Amino acid sequence: MFEEVNEKRFREKLSKGRLVAFFHTPFCGTCKRAEKMINVVLESMKPNFDALSCNLNLMPSLAETFEITSVPCLLMIEDGKVKNRIFSFGSIDQLYHSLLQFSENKP
């Protein structure tokens, strides 16, 4: 469900509107669990935003730019501005409602 992107592609997408960006590192077990949860949610809805997967090891400058203090991190971004930031992936239900709220707040 995610599009795996490099930093150049992320910045291109960033300038085009609404997106959800999942920041992770390859050997993070919590990241793998969170990614599965996000995929379940995205498959159950019809998102009106792009869903990007970003390996933070390959784009460390974004950690400072977007104040990413740990992984996994899910950013909901509109017009280059972070609207919501999730570091704790407690339940699929909470995640679903956060993404649904972002999806329903149409530009």
Side-chain angles (χ1 to χ4, degrees):
M1 197 79 195
F2 285 112
E3 176 186 352
E4 183 75 36
V5 295
N6 59 24
E7 187 169 350
K8 180 181 177 192
R9 181 77 172 138
F10 174 82
R11 291 190 185 280
E12 288 170 1
K13 291 281 194 174
L14 184 64
S15 66
K16 293 183 181 173
R18 300 164 53 82
L19 61 99
V20 168
F22 176 65
F23 289 90
H24 62 89
T25 57
F27 299 109
C28 168
T30 307
C31 296
K32 292 184 187 325
R33 179 179 167 269
E35 183 175 22
K36 287 178 185 177
M37 291 173 67
I38 297 165
N39 276 326
V40 166
V41 171
L42 291 175
E43 287 174 9
S44 70
M45 58 189 302
K46 293 182 178 160
N48 61 351
F49 50 78
D50 289 327
L52 309 178
S53 178
C54 307
N55 179 345
L56 200 56
N57 287 343
L58 301 178
M59 44 186 97
S61 66
L62 295 180
E64 185 173 338
T65 301
F66 290 100
E67 300 174 4
I68 300 170
T69 56
S70 67
V71 291
C73 177
L74 185 70
L75 299 180
M76 296 171 214
I77 303 170
E78 186 175 333
D79 299 325
K81 295 184 176 106
V82 176
K83 297 297 183 179
N84 195 4
R85 180 184 325 265
I86 298 175
F87 289 105
S88 176
F89 295 82
S91 73
I92 288 179
D93 188 53
Q94 290 171 327
L95 187 58
Y96 175 79
H97 287 292
S98 294
L99 287 170
L100 184 62
Q101 182 179 8
F102 179 67
S103 182
E104 289 176 348
N105 289 332
K106 298 178 176 128

